[in-house]
């Protein structure tokens, strides 16, 4: 043990963050304080996970925030006696690498691994408490082999399938996109408008889990941000109503429509089919040549329209009358059938009964094309003063609210809710309809026509059809990019890798071809948290025994940008693996913390905006610890941080001050602390008592503020009070080092050594506070009425003004004095004085 306190250290020992960083980084690399390979079986465990980075360029300020905050939690649980698994890896496949490589004429492989190397070096210096023996990189065949395994498991269960359908197509990236990757009608990656294209693609049947994905959100309400929960709820979008069958003149089969308002069936005045639905094409075959021509032209236009626009209520309504008629099952009315783009082909049945009086989009359409409007629910919200519903035809406003049925035969007089029940029951009796549930959620489109991803482990055989690659032949390695044209062109570049594509069928041995698509990279990240549990296992995707010990993740930390996509997919895959018996839990992430963004001058940082703050510059100038501390101190972790408003220089100054406190201590580690200065001890022990619950509530900034108070109190004790040799000063300094371990690991480690301990401070335990030092002493509070002392109350020194005023007003003596006079003013100076002013009642 080194104890520099006896060795005549220099008086002007200086805090030098560069020297400290250089000193401790290699020590930690040797020591591996965060290794988790053999942790004691009987110690409780926590799994803290930060979303893994995408290796495009070096780490940036956003990473610096996320990893600083996640590390507070990981380090905290270690101090609280837990074995903590805190791994890191790289989410390394995907378009950005591929596009960057194409631009530079490089192999995406080299570009990606170079970036990983750079990020890894920066990450090590940044010193989150990662277990570096568990790093995974999703573009390693050792990793993506298990993506392929997962695909095959889903395929066996019928949860992975191929179908031809209209898909989102990015004309710029020349690839399909999942619904989740279309943001406001635009490609999430390149921001170009997304169009639709009919293609045969691979899907994961996430819709089969829609109910569970929705219902299980209830169990996350206490530990996930409510915003994320409601975004997921909306995305899944469960809607309940009824399917109603309409007979079509000149067609054998009836057409089903989905409605959430079966109560409005008598108000249906026309039917609308999606122009791009198969039904529309079929119906128009029975129409005149002129209509067919108009329809074809219309369809052409619709194809170029985004889904967003189609659903917009602002847009002018367009459509084509198909000269065909449907029959309303309840009253036999003939309803004209139109094709219009506000009805979507892939929701419900791609056709609707239009009820213009009660549905705004139907009303807009009816008004545009002169179709009848019939009110069937008298709503109170749409009523005049005399109780008569306003005419939607005239006002242009549909009556959407609650009300009583009219013009609806035997159902007249029922409330909306009653009528929904009764009409549905009647339809069911007559075999004309049934209750139905629909989801906004679509199956997850996972195939991509791009190079840099996991090959889909399927072989297409002319004789046998789709043949899964046998598990013992995994991984299907991605062929070298050499000689391949990676330019996006709508078909996968892998098709040109002839040696790779042409194989013999695993089933019949005949000539066959590999599937040339690659998987969406969200497949990679849908289960990566399990791979960390046994990252080097080459016999299975993850070890179920390790999953039992560590999983699910206790605390997940990452950006809110992943509120839907990644989190939904990971929840889905977890449920599938649960059903398949590999794991015994159904939710991957027990708790979730979304950190805010790091802004500069009020807006997101970007090169083009010219407000980019480079992390490496900040680290060079202020040091790792100051940057990390600044991230924690800036405010609640969920809030955005404007780098223009914070002071890493101030953080560095504080760290130097804290470090010097440790350096000043002259007592030995084994000194009897109970003999120390009581006032300072009380401050220290209050801090020891309060910090853990503050950390658990993610109030990191409050912990830092309290720590600053502790440093000040200690400084004062050294300079003007008990002195550097007092045991209470040592106790305070050690507490400071332990707390700094959460935010500023280099400074903490260095202090710890100067205080006479071996590394690592990260493994030292948080001491229990001494309860006797937490007992509040009371102070005497003087209560005056009109300038005369009337009572004295013994109160807590921490009492707040409101509480003290209430006590004063409740005092017998005060009440007697005030009697029937009126209190006009109360001035409270907690905890010492309350002044009550009165006057006679008027
Ligand atoms: C008649 C009706 C009357 C409707 C009324 C609403 C109000 P959610 O809640 O999103 O499930 N709809 C059904 N399929 C559609 C499709 N493919 N494209 C566009 N709209 C479609 O909405 C269900 C309602 O949206 C359905 O209920 C249907 O209009 C329409 F006063 O039927 B409703
Ligand atoms: Zn075959």
């Amino acid at each position: 043990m080194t104890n520099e306190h006896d060795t005549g250290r220099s008086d002007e020992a200086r805090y030098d963050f560069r020297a400290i960083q250089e000193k401790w980084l290699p020590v930690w690399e040797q020591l591996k304080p965060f290794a988790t390979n053999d942790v004691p079986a009987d110690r409780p465990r926590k799994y803290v996970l930060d979303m893994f980075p995408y290796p495009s360029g070096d780490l940036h300020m956003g990473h610096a925030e996320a990893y600083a905050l996640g590390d507070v939690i990981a380090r905290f649980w270690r101090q609280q006696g837990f074995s903590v698994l805190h791994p890191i890896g790289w989410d390394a496949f995907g378009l950005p690498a591929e596009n960057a490589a194409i631009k530079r004429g490089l192999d995406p492989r080299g570009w990606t691994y170079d970036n990983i190397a750079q990020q890894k070096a920066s990450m090590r210096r940044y010193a989150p408490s990662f277990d570096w023996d568990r790093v995974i990189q999703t573009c390693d065949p050792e990793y993506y082999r298990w993506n392929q395994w997962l695909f095959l498991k889903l395929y066996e269960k019928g949860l992975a399938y191929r179908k031809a359908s209209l898909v989102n197509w990015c004309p710029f990236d020349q690839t399909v996109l999942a619904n989740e990757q279309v943001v406001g009608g635009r490609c999430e990656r390149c921001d170009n408008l997304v169009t639709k294209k009919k293609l045969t693609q691979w899907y994961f049947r996430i819709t089969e889990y829609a109910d569970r994905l929705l219902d299980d959100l209830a169990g996350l309400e206490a530990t996930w941000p409510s915003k994320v929960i409601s975004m997921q709820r909306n995305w899944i979008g469960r809607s309940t109503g009824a399917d109603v069958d309409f007979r079509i003149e000149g067609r054998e089969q009836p057409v089903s429509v989905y409605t959430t308002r079966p109560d409005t069936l008598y108000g249906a005045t026309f039917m609308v089919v999606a122009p791009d639905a198969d039904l529309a094409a079929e119906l128009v075959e029975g129409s005149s040549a002129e209509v067919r021509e108009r329809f074809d032209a219309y369809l052409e236009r619709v194809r170029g329209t985004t889904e967003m626009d189609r659903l917009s209520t602002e847009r002018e309504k367009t459509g084509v009358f198909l000269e065909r008629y449907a029959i309303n099952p309840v009253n036999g009315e003939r309803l004209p059938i139109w094709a219009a783009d506000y009805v979507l082909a892939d929701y419900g049945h791609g056709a609707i009964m239009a009820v213009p009086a009660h549905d705004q989009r139907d009303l807009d359409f009816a008004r545009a094309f002169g179709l009848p409007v019939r009110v069937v629910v008298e709503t109170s919200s749409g009523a005049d003063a005399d109780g008569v519903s306003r005419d939607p035809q005239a006002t242009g406003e549909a009556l959407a609210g609650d009300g009583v049925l009219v013009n609806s035969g035997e159902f007249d007089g029922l409330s909306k809710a009653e009528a929904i029940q009764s009409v549905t029951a009647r339809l069911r009796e007559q075999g004309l309809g049934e209750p139905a549930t629909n989801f906004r959620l679509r199956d997850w489109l996972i195939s991509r026509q791009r190079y840099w991803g996991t090959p889909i482990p399927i072989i297409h055989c002319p004789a046998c059809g789709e043949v899964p690659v046998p598990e013992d032949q995994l991984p299907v390695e991605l062929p070298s990019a050499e000689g391949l044209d990676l330019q996006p062109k709508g078909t996968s570049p892998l098709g040109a890798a002839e040696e790779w594509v042409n194989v013999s069928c695993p089933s019949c041995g005949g000539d066959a071809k590999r599937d040339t698509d690659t998987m969406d990279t969200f497949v990679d990240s849908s289960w990566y948290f399990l791979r960390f549990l046994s990252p080097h296992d080459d016999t299975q995707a993850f070890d179920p025994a390790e999953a039992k010990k560590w999983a699910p993740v206790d605390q997940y930390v990452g950006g809110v940008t992943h509120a839907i996509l990644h989190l939904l997919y990971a929840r889905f895959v977890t449920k599938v693996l649960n059903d398949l018996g590999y794991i015994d839990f159904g939710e991957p992430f027990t708790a979730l913390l979304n950190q805010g963004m790091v802004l500069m001058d009020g807006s997101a940082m970007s090169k083009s905006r010219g407000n980019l703050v480079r992390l490496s510059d900040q680290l060079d100038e202020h040091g790792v610890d100051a940057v990390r501390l600044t991230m924690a101190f800036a405010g609640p972790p969920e809030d955005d941080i404007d780098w223009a408003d914070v002071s890493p220089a101030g953080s560095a100054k504080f760290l130097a001050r804290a470090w010097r406190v440790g350096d000043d201590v002259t007592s030995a580690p084994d000194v009897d602390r109970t003999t120390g200065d009581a006032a300072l001890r009380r401050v220290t022990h209050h801090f020891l008592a309060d910090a853990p619950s503050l950390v658990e509530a993610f109030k990191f900034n409050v912990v830092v503020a309290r720590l600053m108070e502790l440093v000040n109190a200690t400084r004062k004790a050294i300079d003007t009070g008990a002195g550097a040799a007092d045991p209470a000063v040592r106790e305070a300094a050690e507490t400071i080092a332990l707390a700094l371990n959460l935010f500023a690991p280099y400074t903490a480690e260095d202090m710890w050594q100067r205080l006479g301990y071996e590394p690592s401070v990260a493994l030292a335990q948080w001491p229990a506070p001494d309860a006797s030092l937490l007992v509040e002493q009371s102070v005497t509070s003087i209560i005056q009425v009109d300038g005369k002392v009337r009572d004295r109350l013994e109160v807590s020194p921490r009492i707040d003004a409101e509480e003290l005023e209430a006590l004063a007003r409740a005092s017998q003596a005060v009440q007697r004095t005030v009697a029937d006079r009126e209190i006009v003013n109360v001035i409270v100076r907690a905890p010492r004085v309350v002044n009550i002013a009165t006057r006679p009642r008027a």
Side-chain angles (χ1 to χ4, degrees):
M1 189 188 290
T2 53
N3 194 334
E4 300 187 27
H5 309 285
D6 316 324
T7 61
R9 106 205 96 81
S10 116
D11 272 349
E12 59 266 11
R14 236 173 35 86
Y15 174 75
D16 176 352
F17 73 78
R18 283 182 197 87
I20 294 178
Q21 285 176 203
E22 269 160 40
K23 175 173 173 188
W24 289 110
L25 190 54
V27 172
W28 291 333
E29 307 226 324
Q30 274 281 307
L31 200 61
K32 299 190 172 180
F34 312 114
T36 37
N37 282 340
D38 9 59
V39 299
D42 54 346
R43 200 187 287 163
R45 300 171 188 234
K46 289 273 183 193
Y47 185 177
V48 178
L49 183 62
D50 301 311
M51 289 181 186
F52 62 166
Y54 189 86
S56 47
D58 202 354
L59 294 182
H60 53 63
M61 295 296 282
H63 292 124
E65 183 194 11
Y67 296 116
L69 301 182
D71 206 35
V72 174
I73 301 169
R75 287 172 179 268
F76 167 75
W77 287 118
R78 257 182 226 105
Q79 290 181 328
Q80 300 295 320
F82 290 80
S83 295
V84 176
L85 178 61
H86 188 210
I88 188 69
W90 274 268
D91 185 15
F93 267 141
L95 273 187
E98 190 166 349
N99 289 344
I102 291 170
K103 210 159 92 190
R104 298 168 176 77
L106 299 171
D107 185 333
R109 214 174 248 100
W111 189 87
T112 301
Y113 282 108
D114 285 351
N115 276 326
I116 291 177
Q118 185 184 24
Q119 286 198 352
K120 207 178 272 176
S122 302
M123 195 73 105
R124 279 193 172 257
R125 176 162 80 134
Y126 199 61
S129 59
F130 293 135
D131 178 350
W132 285 100
D133 293 334
R134 292 187 185 239
V135 170
I136 57 179
Q137 305 172 149
T138 58
C139 60
D140 292 344
E142 296 75 26
Y143 185 88
Y144 67 71
R145 164 183 185 176
W146 303 110
N147 286 339
Q148 294 171 337
W149 170 85
L150 178 69
F151 179 96
L152 293 177
K153 290 293 144 203
L154 285 144
Y155 187 78
E156 274 167 31
K157 287 280 151 193
L159 293 170
Y161 68 96
R162 216 156 73 113
K163 73 167 177 200
S165 76
L166 284 175
V167 299
N168 299 307
W169 177 258
C170 173
F172 177 80
D173 287 323
Q174 290 278 309
T175 184
V176 299
L177 300 169
N179 276 5
E180 289 79 359
Q181 289 164 330
V182 182
V183 180
R186 290 172 184 274
C187 172
E188 179 209 34
R189 304 270 148 101
C190 70
D191 219 32
N192 281 290
L193 284 176
V194 170
T195 61
K196 292 265 179 182
K197 192 165 172 175
K198 190 141 196 168
L199 285 173
T200 300
Q201 296 287 318
W202 286 100
Y203 293 83
F204 282 171
R205 210 181 290 281
I206 191 172
T207 52
E208 190 152 315
Y209 284 75
D211 273 316
R212 273 163 71 190
L213 287 167
L214 192 72
D215 294 340
D216 291 353
L217 286 171
L220 300 173
E221 264 169 5
T223 47
W224 276 38
S226 53
K227 183 173 158 202
V228 173
I229 295 203
S230 72
M231 283 169 80
Q232 292 228 350
R233 286 209 172 108
N234 289 336
W235 186 261
I236 298 166
R238 181 161 60 199
S239 128
T240 54
D243 283 340
V244 185
D245 297 341
F246 284 72
R247 197 162 64 71
I248 308 291
E249 287 180 0
R251 188 181 197 260
E252 193 113 348
Q253 287 295 315
V255 162
S256 294
V257 302
Y258 172 67
T259 177
T260 47
R261 297 290 308 274
D263 58 309
T264 63
L265 190 47
Y266 283 80
T269 55
F270 55 102
M271 180 183 271
V272 183
V273 299
D276 45 346
D278 292 342
L279 178 65
E282 181 213 305
L283 289 176
V284 82
E285 271 172 39
S287 316
S288 66
E290 191 218 319
V291 168
R292 282 208 303 273
E293 225 167 83
R294 292 217 342 252
F295 173 80
D296 288 345
Y298 183 58
L299 180 59
E300 197 51 41
R301 240 170 74 203
V302 172
R303 287 254 153 88
T305 311
T306 66
E307 180 160 322
M308 217 286 284
D309 280 340
R310 288 176 65 163
L311 288 173
S312 160
T313 46
E314 310 295 295
R315 214 160 124 263
E316 197 192 324
K317 292 282 174 290
T318 57
V320 175
F321 175 42
L322 299 183
E323 294 177 336
R324 303 287 304 259
Y325 291 88
I327 307 299
N328 189 330
V330 288
N331 57 14
E333 265 177 18
R334 268 183 114 213
L335 308 178
I337 304 178
W338 288 68
D341 67 357
Y342 75 96
V343 172
L344 303 178
D346 61 354
Y347 187 70
H349 301 283
I352 65 157
M353 65 178 207
V355 185
H358 303 290
D359 180 284
Q360 191 60 45
R361 281 177 297 159
D362 294 345
L363 181 62
D364 295 342
F365 192 84
R367 283 167 35 110
F369 294 98
L371 294 159
V373 178
R374 183 191 307 140
V375 172
V376 291
V377 182
E378 289 285 2
T379 62
S380 46
S381 58
D384 283 332
D386 54 7
V388 178
S389 278
R390 280 186 295 252
D391 177 12
Q393 171 92 279
T395 62
E397 271 172 47
L399 307 171
D402 252 332
V404 174
L405 263 72
V406 296
N407 298 326
S408 298
E410 60 182 296
F411 301 100
D412 279 359
L414 294 184
S415 72
K416 168 175 163 182
E418 288 166 342
I420 289 176
Q421 295 296 321
S422 307
V423 173
T424 308
R426 176 59 45 85
L427 289 168
R428 186 171 213 179
E429 270 162 41
Q430 299 177 335
L432 294 171
E434 338 222 283
T437 302
N438 269 291
F439 293 91
R440 220 182 81 98
L441 184 68
R442 299 277 84 108
D443 276 342
W444 173 14
L445 200 176
I446 60 123
S447 43
R448 299 289 180 272
Q449 290 70 53
R450 298 297 297 259
Y451 171 77
W452 191 230
T454 306
I456 288 179
I458 291 285
I459 290 167
H460 299 280
C461 168
C464 313
E466 284 169 8
V467 181
V469 174
E471 257 182 58
D472 60 8
Q473 289 174 27
L474 300 183
V476 177
E477 277 203 45
L478 195 58
S480 156
E482 217 179 290
L484 295 183
D485 175 16
L486 301 188
Q487 270 325 314
K489 56 189 172 298
T491 55
S492 175
L494 291 179
E498 289 193 18
E499 294 221 339
W500 181 87
V501 168
N502 294 309
V503 288
S504 48
C505 167
S507 171
C508 72
D511 287 348
K513 283 187 187 299
R514 289 193 188 283
D515 197 291
T516 55
D517 284 351
T518 53
M519 293 183 209
D520 179 7
T521 55
F522 280 106
V523 175
D524 312 2
S525 54
S526 69
W527 68 282
Y528 79 117
F529 69 100
L530 291 168
R531 186 67 188 165
F532 281 129
L533 304 177
S534 52
H536 310 298
D537 192 339
D538 59 4
T539 64
Q540 54 191 344
F542 60 92
D543 183 346
E546 291 298 304
K548 259 207 162 52
K549 292 187 210 157
W550 292 107
V553 172
D554 294 287
Q555 181 66 58
Y556 200 25
V557 180
V560 74
T561 47
H562 292 297
I564 298 178
L565 299 115
H566 160 59
L567 291 174
L568 194 65
Y569 298 147
R571 295 183 61 225
F572 160 63
V573 168
T574 299
K575 289 176 196 304
V576 173
L577 291 172
N578 186 9
D579 287 355
L580 294 177
Y582 289 100
I583 48 179
D584 58 6
F585 53 91
E587 285 290 338
F589 312 121
T590 306
L592 173 66
L593 172 64
N594 286 141
Q595 83 278 359
M597 296 210 308
V598 187
L599 312 174
M600 185 61 189
D601 295 323
S603 46
M605 293 182 190
S606 80
K607 241 187 236 154
S608 58
R609 240 187 232 114
N611 67 345
L612 193 74
V613 177
R614 281 181 37 157
L615 175 61
S616 56
D617 294 345
Q618 295 295 305
L619 295 177
D620 289 346
E621 191 176 342
H622 306 291
V624 168
D625 282 357
V627 170
R628 292 182 54 153
L629 184 77
T630 303
M631 296 293 183
F633 187 46
E638 301 84 356
D639 291 2
D640 292 342
I641 299 174
D642 195 322
W643 204 249
D645 298 340
V646 296
S647 171
S651 297
K653 241 191 225 147
F654 164 70
L655 288 172
R657 191 172 156 79
W659 181 89
R660 246 180 273 116
V661 161
D663 200 52
D664 283 352
V665 170
T666 54
S667 61
D670 58 1
V671 70
D672 179 4
R673 280 131 219 261
T674 58
T675 62
D677 173 63
L680 181 57
R681 292 200 77 207
R682 257 194 296 278
V683 180
T684 301
H685 283 258
H686 271 290
F687 179 78
L688 286 171
D690 296 346
S693 51
L694 289 168
V695 172
E696 281 188 73
F698 304 140
K699 295 184 175 168
F700 309 148
N701 55 328
V702 180
V703 178
V704 174
R706 291 282 304 273
L707 179 59
M708 289 172 170
E709 284 171 28
L710 178 60
V711 169
N712 287 344
T714 315
R715 180 82 263 156
K716 208 165 130 197
I718 294 170
D719 293 347
T720 62
D726 191 280
V729 168
R730 162 168 286 276
E731 186 178 52
E734 288 180 6
T735 302
I736 293 165
L738 288 173
L740 278 180
N741 165 59
L742 303 177
F743 311 105
Y746 288 105
T747 309
E749 194 74 273
D750 208 62
M751 275 182 80
W752 199 239
Q753 188 189 46
R754 282 162 191 272
L755 286 165
Y757 299 104
E758 297 285 342
S760 170
V761 66
L763 300 178
Q765 298 297 289
W766 192 258
D770 180 340
S772 70
L773 292 166
L774 302 178
V775 175
E776 306 253 346
Q777 297 157 302
S778 61
V779 295
T780 305
S781 184
I782 292 172
I783 316 297
Q784 311 192 82
V785 178
D786 299 324
K788 286 208 187 82
V789 176
R790 296 295 179 179
D791 204 353
R792 289 189 165 78
L793 301 174
E794 290 301 307
V795 300
S796 153
R798 295 161 172 245
I799 194 164
D800 67 22
E802 219 173 299
E803 212 181 317
L804 183 56
E805 178 176 341
L807 284 179
R809 283 174 181 266
S811 145
Q812 292 277 320
V814 168
Q815 290 189 354
R816 233 178 293 123
T817 315
V818 172
D820 57 359
R821 294 171 68 84
E822 184 185 0
I823 294 178
V824 289
N825 195 17
V826 182
I827 297 168
V828 185
R829 303 226 187 286
R832 298 280 174 202
V833 190
V834 179
N835 267 309
I836 299 174
T838 69
R839 69 172 174 219
R841 252 176 227 285

